[in-house]
Amino acid sequence: MESEQASVCALHGRGIAPQRLIGRRLVKITASWFWYEGVQTTAPLEVWLTDECQQSIRITTGSDWCLIFEASEPHEGCDTGEFGRVEVREGGDATPFAGHIGERILATREGFEPFTGRISLDLTFPTGGVRCDSWAGDLRLQHAPQVPSA
C-alpha cells in the first residue's frame, strides 16, 4: 500500500527532497537506455532532469525496488559485449518529460512504502504532470493529468 508518510530506503537512504525542484525550469532531459541484440528497451533505465542552473537530478530504481531521486550528473554509457549495452543520450523525446521542457515545476508529491522507502514521485508542470514510479523494479514514467487550480 502506498503511503505519503516518509520512510527511508535501507540501501539508498532518503536522497534529496523533491521540494527543492519547485520553481526550477526544466531545460534538458538525458536518459539511459538498455540495448540487447539490437533492440532498445521500451522504458529508460534512468533519467536526468537538468534545470536552468545546469543542476541535474537523477531518477532511477534501486535493486530493492525503491525510487532513487538524487543530485547526479549523467554518466557515460557502457558496452558489456554479449550482455548488451547502455546508451546515454540527451533528448528525452521518448519520455513524458519531453512536453515540459521550458516549464517550471509547480509541485511535487512522493509515495512511500514502509519497507522499501520512496516508490513514486509526481512532478506537476503548468501543462500537466509526470508520475515516476518503481514498478516491479523497473522505472516507469507516465503522463499525469493537469490538476485544476483552485
Side-chain angles (χ1 to χ4, degrees), residues 84-148:
R85 65 185 169 91
V86 175
E87 180 179 283
V88 178
R89 63 180 186 264
E90 286 184 28
D93 292 341
T95 74
F97 287 109
H100 301 293
I101 293 177
E103 295 183 350
R104 294 200 182 274
I105 297 171
L106 301 177
T108 64
R109 181 177 174 271
E110 300 176 83
F112 296 90
E113 189 161 89
F115 300 107
T116 304
R118 182 188 299 122
I119 59 169
S120 67
L121 175 66
D122 295 310
L123 299 173
T124 304
F125 298 89
T127 59
V130 177
R131 181 173 181 89
C132 311
D133 63 21
S134 175
W135 185 256
D138 292 329
L139 178 62
R140 184 170 65 172
L141 306 173
Q142 301 174 322
H143 290 282
Q146 183 177 8
V147 177

Side-chain angles (χ1 to χ4, degrees), residues 15-78:
I16 66 165
Q19 296 80 4
R20 288 181 39 192
L21 291 181
I22 295 173
R24 293 188 185 181
R25 186 168 50 90
L26 180 62
V27 298
K28 181 173 69 175
I29 303 160
T30 306
S32 71
W33 303 88
F34 182 70
W35 288 79
Y36 182 71
E37 295 184 348
V39 177
Q40 176 183 299
T41 54
T42 57
L45 299 172
E46 55 200 334
V47 295
W48 291 265
L49 308 179
T50 305
D51 68 15
E52 71 268 23
C53 297
Q54 297 305 304
Q55 295 179 341
S56 294
I57 301 296
R58 177 177 172 244
I59 303 171
T60 191
T61 58
S63 57
D64 60 349
W65 295 15
C66 72
L67 186 72
I68 298 171
F69 188 76
E70 64 185 3
S72 172
E73 295 299 318
H75 57 74
E76 296 290 322
C78 64

